[in-house]
Amino acid sequence: MTPRGRHFFANPGPTNIPDSIMQAVSHHTVDFNGPDFLEVYDACLAGLKRVLRTEQHLFMYTGTGHAAWEATLVNLLSPGDRILVIETGHFSENWGKMAADLGIEVQTLAADWRRGLDYAALDAALAADTGHAIKAVCAVHNETSTGMTLDLPRIRAALDQARHPALLLADIISSLGSIEFRFDDWGIDAAVGGSQKGLMLPVGFSFTGVSDKAMAAHQSSAFPKHYFNWTTMLTRRHRSFIGTVPIALFYGLREALRLIEQEEGLDNVLARHARLAEATRRCVRHWAGNNGPQLFCLSPERVSDSVTSVLMPEGHDAEALRKRVGTMNVALGTGLSRLNGKVFRIGHLGDLNEPMLLGTLAATEIGLRLQGVPHAAGGSEAAIAYLAETAP
Ligand SMILES: Cc1ncc(COP(=O)(O)O)c(C=O)c1O
């Protein structure tokens, strides 16, 4: 039987889709080269650039974040080029694996998945590369697997200080629209994003923000490419998308931008995420008493405001807990790759409010009791207390 009541989706992406966006995407088909659609499209492109906080370039593809990862690599690099991948979790590891499969030489800067990057190690790696063999540094702004952020301005400063010309490529798939990100101010060269997280849209398109410096590097990229070729895209009216444009998603994006920029305001969106994230962390920190589940991220200044990864006590299976909570119609995120069974994730990004979060936390706490997982009871109350104290 399908459980009664509303589905509580607490996966860190895709995310909940607001009703008004669902209505907007159920738009009848129109000519994607016709004037009505082009007006919507151009406004969306300008809006998305504002959310990225860039006045530079933007290319879009029908595909998920993986597509944008690949597009970014093949447009900026050449076979045999070396990149430095800051490995902080499952997604950074996989971006590196993709690059290696494409024939890029991958130098990995390993980081402790629970503590994050040692920035001094980054400084040292850049200083050691006196011949500037490293053509790009790949950084996942918000590691969705571990619930930890990277300090992108600090990485920019490391490159500048070392006078290293490598491009700075950022994955902002689970940070855009939920954690502060500033493309131009932070000196990012390429930023990879997708529709289905902070933008609250269905899965379907992804994109790369590109700096002028990166556009110059694109001119000498020797990777074979067709669907992802930015130069070809520039010859098209939409300056993106080789082929049919995903029309419905743009009606959705227009509505998403209205919600983010006009109705709530981007700064308020970010503040809402920070508050709900802190409530989640207070809940988990409370559970951690009695040898209970604890925050996976051990660096308080690096915790993510879009997802919290929770480490189960030794001998207790995160997947069994997730399944139990699932019977209450609550979807928690799974532990990825080496964290599977050890970690579960609470997504708190996108279209979310206090009662939705509290429903998830309370159901998880019921699950902890039913599964016999040790914990200090009352984590949900710690979240309630924080939300009451900080009510706008
Ligand atoms: C940080 C990050 N990078 C990349 C991806 C991959 O994106 P997609 O699943 O849209 O291909 C994800 C997906 O969750 C992600 O969170």
Side-chain angles (χ1 to χ4, degrees):
M1 182 193 124
T2 314
R4 293 277 68 82
R6 206 160 176 125
H7 183 50
F8 277 63
F9 192 75
N11 226 299
T15 60
N16 294 298
I17 303 172
D19 290 347
S20 67
I21 292 185
M22 283 205 273
Q23 282 153 15
V25 294
S26 63
H27 196 280
H28 60 260
T29 304
V30 293
D31 178 359
F32 66 88
N33 285 306
D36 290 352
F37 180 73
L38 286 174
E39 198 180 315
V40 173
Y41 180 84
D42 289 345
C44 283
L45 219 60
L48 193 48
K49 279 187 175 186
R50 283 195 302 274
V51 175
L52 279 164
R53 305 206 204 248
T54 184
E55 293 182 358
Q56 301 182 74
H57 315 268
L58 181 65
F59 296 98
M60 310 180 80
Y61 335 92
T62 305
T64 68
H66 278 78
W69 266 357
E70 185 157 330
T72 304
L73 296 173
V74 300
N75 274 288
L76 293 177
L77 299 162
S78 300
D81 274 354
R82 190 193 301 174
I83 61 171
L84 181 68
V85 173
I86 301 172
E87 197 212 285
T88 49
H90 168 85
F91 288 104
S92 44
E93 187 174 46
N94 278 6
W95 200 7
K97 279 184 189 156
M98 173 188 276
D101 285 348
L102 289 168
I104 294 166
E105 189 193 322
V106 177
Q107 180 181 337
T108 302
L109 184 59
D112 181 323
W113 284 23
R114 292 198 71 187
R115 293 181 193 281
L117 174 65
D118 170 7
Y119 289 94
L122 172 66
D123 295 337
L126 293 173
D129 183 33
T130 49
H132 296 165
I134 297 169
K135 299 297 175 211
V137 173
C138 292
V140 175
H141 187 202
N142 183 64
E143 227 329 322
T144 327
S145 60
T146 60
M148 196 181 313
T149 56
L150 271 179
D151 184 346
L152 293 175
R154 173 67 180 80
I155 298 171
R156 172 79 266 158
L159 283 160
D160 291 348
Q161 214 158 8
R163 296 180 190 279
H164 200 296
L167 298 170
L168 174 52
L169 315 187
D171 171 330
I172 55 164
I173 289 174
S174 62
S175 59
L176 188 71
S178 53
I179 297 173
E180 165 133 84
F181 174 73
R182 294 180 171 272
F183 188 98
D184 290 352
D185 293 351
W186 293 358
I188 308 294
D189 291 304
V192 175
S195 58
Q196 76 273 20
K197 304 224 190 223
L199 294 175
M200 306 175 288
L201 291 163
V203 182
F205 75 82
S206 54
F207 49 89
T208 313
V210 184
S211 71
D212 294 335
K213 177 181 166 188
M215 279 312 286
H218 165 66
Q219 302 310 323
S220 51
S221 155
F223 264 115
K225 49 194 164 280
H226 181 94
Y227 179 69
F228 289 134
N229 196 327
W230 295 343
T231 297
T232 312
M233 289 182 191
L234 287 174
T235 65
R236 294 172 63 86
R237 167 61 180 82
H238 299 85
R239 299 173 83 80
S240 277
F241 298 110
I242 308 285
T244 305
V245 177
I247 301 156
L249 290 172
F250 281 87
Y251 287 99
L253 179 56
R254 178 173 64 174
E255 173 60 9
L257 291 166
R258 191 190 69 76
L259 295 177
I260 291 170
E261 294 190 291
Q262 289 169 30
E263 217 177 90
E264 191 171 5
L266 182 54
D267 289 342
N268 293 330
V269 170
L270 303 183
R272 174 168 54 82
H273 281 82
R275 181 165 166 266
L276 296 177
E278 179 58 23
T280 308
R281 291 190 289 266
R282 293 209 179 194
C283 173
V284 178
R285 285 198 195 103
H286 187 97
W287 287 337
N290 296 343
N291 299 319
Q294 54 176 285
L295 293 177
F296 182 77
C297 176
L298 290 175
S299 303
E301 73 287 3
R302 296 178 180 184
V303 287
S304 162
D305 282 343
S306 63
V307 54
T308 297
S309 292
V310 185
L311 179 65
M312 290 289 275
E314 205 52 46
H316 292 272
D317 180 16
E319 286 308 287
L321 175 74
R322 244 170 43 81
K323 281 195 190 109
R324 174 66 86 157
V325 175
T327 63
M328 289 176 268
N329 214 0
V330 174
L332 296 170
T334 188
L336 294 168
S337 57
R338 71 175 83 153
L339 302 181
N340 189 252
K342 301 189 169 104
V343 156
F344 68 89
R345 294 174 303 150
I346 303 169
H348 33 75
L349 77 161
D351 189 40
L352 197 73
N353 60 23
E354 293 93 334
M356 291 161 82
L357 179 71
L358 290 171
T360 295
L361 297 178
T364 306
E365 193 159 337
I366 295 172
L368 292 173
R369 284 190 199 198
L370 293 176
Q371 291 298 112
V373 180
H375 66 286
S380 313
E381 277 171 43
I384 291 170
Y386 175 74
L387 291 172
E389 271 164 35
T390 57

